[in-house]
Short mmCIF file of all heavy atoms in Angstrom, two decimals:
data_model
loop_
_atom_site.label_atom_id
_atom_site.label_comp_id
_atom_site.label_asym_id
_atom_site.label_seq_id
_atom_site.Cartn_x
_atom_site.Cartn_y
_atom_site.Cartn_z
N ILE A 203 18.56 -8.17 -14.25
CA ILE A 203 19.06 -6.93 -13.68
C ILE A 203 18.48 -5.77 -14.47
O ILE A 203 18.51 -5.79 -15.71
CB ILE A 203 20.61 -6.86 -13.73
CG1 ILE A 203 21.21 -8.05 -12.96
CG2 ILE A 203 21.11 -5.54 -13.14
CD1 ILE A 203 22.71 -8.09 -12.96
N ILE A 204 17.89 -4.80 -13.78
CA ILE A 204 17.40 -3.64 -14.52
C ILE A 204 18.13 -2.39 -14.04
O ILE A 204 18.56 -2.28 -12.89
CB ILE A 204 15.87 -3.45 -14.48
CG1 ILE A 204 15.37 -2.98 -13.12
CG2 ILE A 204 15.14 -4.71 -14.87
CD1 ILE A 204 13.94 -2.46 -13.22
N ASP A 205 18.26 -1.48 -14.96
CA ASP A 205 18.91 -0.20 -14.67
C ASP A 205 18.22 0.85 -15.52
O ASP A 205 17.98 0.65 -16.69
CB ASP A 205 20.40 -0.29 -15.03
CG ASP A 205 21.13 0.98 -14.63
OD1 ASP A 205 20.96 1.41 -13.49
OD2 ASP A 205 21.87 1.53 -15.46
N ARG A 206 17.90 1.98 -14.91
CA ARG A 206 17.18 3.07 -15.58
C ARG A 206 15.97 2.56 -16.35
O ARG A 206 15.73 2.95 -17.49
CB ARG A 206 18.09 3.78 -16.57
CG ARG A 206 19.35 4.30 -15.93
CD ARG A 206 20.17 4.95 -17.00
NE ARG A 206 21.58 4.85 -16.69
CZ ARG A 206 22.44 5.81 -16.95
NH1 ARG A 206 22.03 6.91 -17.51
NH2 ARG A 206 23.69 5.65 -16.65
N GLY A 207 15.25 1.64 -15.73
CA GLY A 207 14.01 1.18 -16.34
C GLY A 207 14.18 0.19 -17.47
O GLY A 207 13.20 -0.15 -18.13
N ARG A 208 15.41 -0.26 -17.73
CA ARG A 208 15.63 -1.21 -18.82
C ARG A 208 16.27 -2.49 -18.29
O ARG A 208 17.04 -2.44 -17.34
CB ARG A 208 16.57 -0.62 -19.86
CG ARG A 208 15.94 0.43 -20.73
CD ARG A 208 16.85 0.72 -21.93
NE ARG A 208 16.15 1.54 -22.89
CZ ARG A 208 16.02 2.87 -22.75
NH1 ARG A 208 16.56 3.47 -21.71
NH2 ARG A 208 15.37 3.57 -23.65
N ILE A 209 15.97 -3.60 -18.97
CA ILE A 209 16.64 -4.84 -18.60
C ILE A 209 18.05 -4.82 -19.17
O ILE A 209 18.24 -4.62 -20.38
CB ILE A 209 15.86 -6.06 -19.14
CG1 ILE A 209 14.51 -6.17 -18.42
CG2 ILE A 209 16.67 -7.34 -18.94
CD1 ILE A 209 13.65 -7.31 -18.89
N VAL A 210 19.05 -4.98 -18.30
CA VAL A 210 20.43 -4.97 -18.80
C VAL A 210 21.07 -6.35 -18.75
O VAL A 210 22.12 -6.57 -19.34
CB VAL A 210 21.31 -3.95 -18.04
CG1 VAL A 210 20.89 -2.53 -18.39
CG2 VAL A 210 21.25 -4.17 -16.54
N ALA A 211 20.43 -7.29 -18.04
CA ALA A 211 20.93 -8.65 -18.03
C ALA A 211 19.80 -9.59 -17.66
O ALA A 211 18.92 -9.23 -16.89
CB ALA A 211 22.07 -8.80 -17.03
N ASP A 212 19.81 -10.77 -18.26
CA ASP A 212 18.75 -11.74 -18.01
C ASP A 212 19.36 -13.13 -18.22
O ASP A 212 19.80 -13.45 -19.31
CB ASP A 212 17.59 -11.50 -19.00
CG ASP A 212 16.42 -12.45 -18.77
OD1 ASP A 212 16.55 -13.37 -17.94
OD2 ASP A 212 15.39 -12.26 -19.43
N GLY A 213 19.44 -13.91 -17.16
CA GLY A 213 20.01 -15.25 -17.31
C GLY A 213 19.92 -16.01 -16.00
O GLY A 213 19.38 -15.50 -15.03
N THR A 214 20.48 -17.23 -16.00
CA THR A 214 20.53 -17.94 -14.73
C THR A 214 21.58 -17.26 -13.88
O THR A 214 22.48 -16.60 -14.40
CB THR A 214 20.93 -19.41 -14.92
OG1 THR A 214 22.26 -19.42 -15.46
CG2 THR A 214 20.00 -20.13 -15.88
N PRO A 215 21.48 -17.40 -12.56
CA PRO A 215 22.51 -16.79 -11.71
C PRO A 215 23.91 -17.22 -12.14
O PRO A 215 24.82 -16.39 -12.19
CB PRO A 215 22.15 -17.30 -10.32
CG PRO A 215 20.68 -17.51 -10.36
CD PRO A 215 20.40 -17.99 -11.76
N ALA A 216 24.08 -18.51 -12.50
CA ALA A 216 25.40 -19.00 -12.91
C ALA A 216 25.88 -18.27 -14.17
O ALA A 216 27.04 -17.89 -14.29
CB ALA A 216 25.35 -20.50 -13.15
N ASN A 217 24.95 -18.08 -15.10
CA ASN A 217 25.23 -17.32 -16.33
C ASN A 217 25.78 -15.95 -16.04
O ASN A 217 26.74 -15.49 -16.65
CB ASN A 217 23.90 -17.05 -17.04
CG ASN A 217 23.61 -18.02 -18.14
OD1 ASN A 217 22.63 -17.86 -18.82
ND2 ASN A 217 24.45 -19.03 -18.32
N LEU A 218 25.06 -15.26 -15.14
CA LEU A 218 25.44 -13.89 -14.83
C LEU A 218 26.79 -13.85 -14.13
O LEU A 218 27.64 -13.01 -14.43
CB LEU A 218 24.39 -13.22 -13.95
CG LEU A 218 23.06 -12.91 -14.60
CD1 LEU A 218 22.19 -12.09 -13.66
CD2 LEU A 218 23.25 -12.15 -15.91
N ILE A 219 26.97 -14.79 -13.20
CA ILE A 219 28.22 -14.83 -12.46
C ILE A 219 29.38 -15.05 -13.42
O ILE A 219 30.46 -14.49 -13.26
CB ILE A 219 28.16 -15.92 -11.37
CG1 ILE A 219 27.24 -15.44 -10.24
CG2 ILE A 219 29.53 -16.25 -10.83
CD1 ILE A 219 26.88 -16.50 -9.24
N ALA A 220 29.12 -15.84 -14.46
CA ALA A 220 30.18 -16.12 -15.43
C ALA A 220 30.63 -14.87 -16.18
O ALA A 220 31.68 -14.85 -16.79
CB ALA A 220 29.70 -17.18 -16.42
N ARG A 221 29.80 -13.83 -16.12
CA ARG A 221 30.21 -12.59 -16.78
C ARG A 221 31.14 -11.76 -15.90
O ARG A 221 31.68 -10.75 -16.33
CB ARG A 221 28.98 -11.72 -17.04
CG ARG A 221 27.99 -12.28 -18.00
CD ARG A 221 27.27 -11.08 -18.56
NE ARG A 221 25.95 -11.41 -19.06
CZ ARG A 221 25.11 -10.48 -19.48
NH1 ARG A 221 25.43 -9.20 -19.37
NH2 ARG A 221 23.95 -10.82 -19.96
N SER A 222 31.30 -12.19 -14.66
CA SER A 222 32.14 -11.44 -13.73
C SER A 222 33.59 -11.54 -14.15
O SER A 222 34.03 -12.57 -14.67
CB SER A 222 31.94 -12.03 -12.33
OG SER A 222 33.05 -11.77 -11.54
N ARG A 223 34.38 -10.48 -13.91
CA ARG A 223 35.81 -10.56 -14.23
C ARG A 223 36.51 -11.57 -13.33
O ARG A 223 37.57 -12.07 -13.67
CB ARG A 223 36.47 -9.19 -14.14
CG ARG A 223 36.46 -8.57 -12.76
CD ARG A 223 36.87 -7.12 -12.82
NE ARG A 223 38.30 -6.94 -12.97
CZ ARG A 223 39.17 -6.83 -11.96
NH1 ARG A 223 38.74 -6.87 -10.72
NH2 ARG A 223 40.45 -6.65 -12.18
N HIS A 224 35.90 -11.90 -12.23
CA HIS A 224 36.48 -12.90 -11.33
C HIS A 224 36.15 -14.33 -11.74
O HIS A 224 36.57 -15.27 -11.09
CB HIS A 224 36.00 -12.69 -9.90
CG HIS A 224 36.69 -11.55 -9.22
ND1 HIS A 224 36.22 -10.26 -9.27
CD2 HIS A 224 37.84 -11.51 -8.49
CE1 HIS A 224 37.03 -9.48 -8.59
NE2 HIS A 224 38.03 -10.20 -8.12
N HIS A 225 35.32 -14.49 -12.81
CA HIS A 225 34.95 -15.84 -13.23
C HIS A 225 36.21 -16.60 -13.65
O HIS A 225 36.93 -16.18 -14.55
CB HIS A 225 33.95 -15.75 -14.38
CG HIS A 225 33.51 -17.09 -14.87
ND1 HIS A 225 32.98 -18.03 -14.04
CD2 HIS A 225 33.51 -17.62 -16.12
CE1 HIS A 225 32.68 -19.11 -14.76
NE2 HIS A 225 33.00 -18.89 -16.01
N ASN A 226 36.46 -17.73 -13.00
CA ASN A 226 37.64 -18.58 -13.25
C ASN A 226 38.98 -17.92 -12.93
O ASN A 226 40.02 -18.43 -13.32
CB ASN A 226 37.67 -19.09 -14.69
CG ASN A 226 36.59 -20.14 -14.91
OD1 ASN A 226 36.08 -20.69 -13.94
ND2 ASN A 226 36.25 -20.40 -16.16
N ALA A 227 38.93 -16.78 -12.26
CA ALA A 227 40.19 -16.18 -11.84
C ALA A 227 40.80 -17.08 -10.75
O ALA A 227 40.07 -17.73 -10.01
CB ALA A 227 39.96 -14.78 -11.29
N VAL A 228 42.14 -17.13 -10.71
CA VAL A 228 42.80 -17.99 -9.73
C VAL A 228 43.54 -17.13 -8.72
O VAL A 228 44.26 -16.20 -9.10
CB VAL A 228 43.79 -18.94 -10.44
CG1 VAL A 228 44.63 -19.70 -9.41
CG2 VAL A 228 43.03 -19.90 -11.34
N THR A 229 43.32 -17.41 -7.47
CA THR A 229 44.03 -16.67 -6.44
C THR A 229 45.02 -17.60 -5.76
O THR A 229 44.68 -18.76 -5.46
CB THR A 229 43.03 -16.12 -5.41
OG1 THR A 229 42.13 -15.24 -6.09
CG2 THR A 229 43.73 -15.34 -4.31
N LEU A 230 46.24 -17.15 -5.59
CA LEU A 230 47.21 -17.99 -4.90
C LEU A 230 48.01 -17.14 -3.91
O LEU A 230 48.14 -15.92 -4.08
CB LEU A 230 48.12 -18.73 -5.88
CG LEU A 230 49.09 -17.98 -6.79
CD1 LEU A 230 50.05 -18.97 -7.43
CD2 LEU A 230 48.35 -17.22 -7.87
#
Side-chain angles (χ1 to χ4, degrees):
Chain A
I203 301 179
I204 73 165
D205 185 49
R206 304 179 210 217
R208 285 193 170 80
I209 293 179
V210 291
D212 182 354
T214 63
N217 262 184
L218 290 187
I219 287 169
R221 295 205 204 174
S222 155
R223 63 192 283 270
H224 283 90
H225 180 54
N226 288 342
V228 172
T229 299
L230 64 169

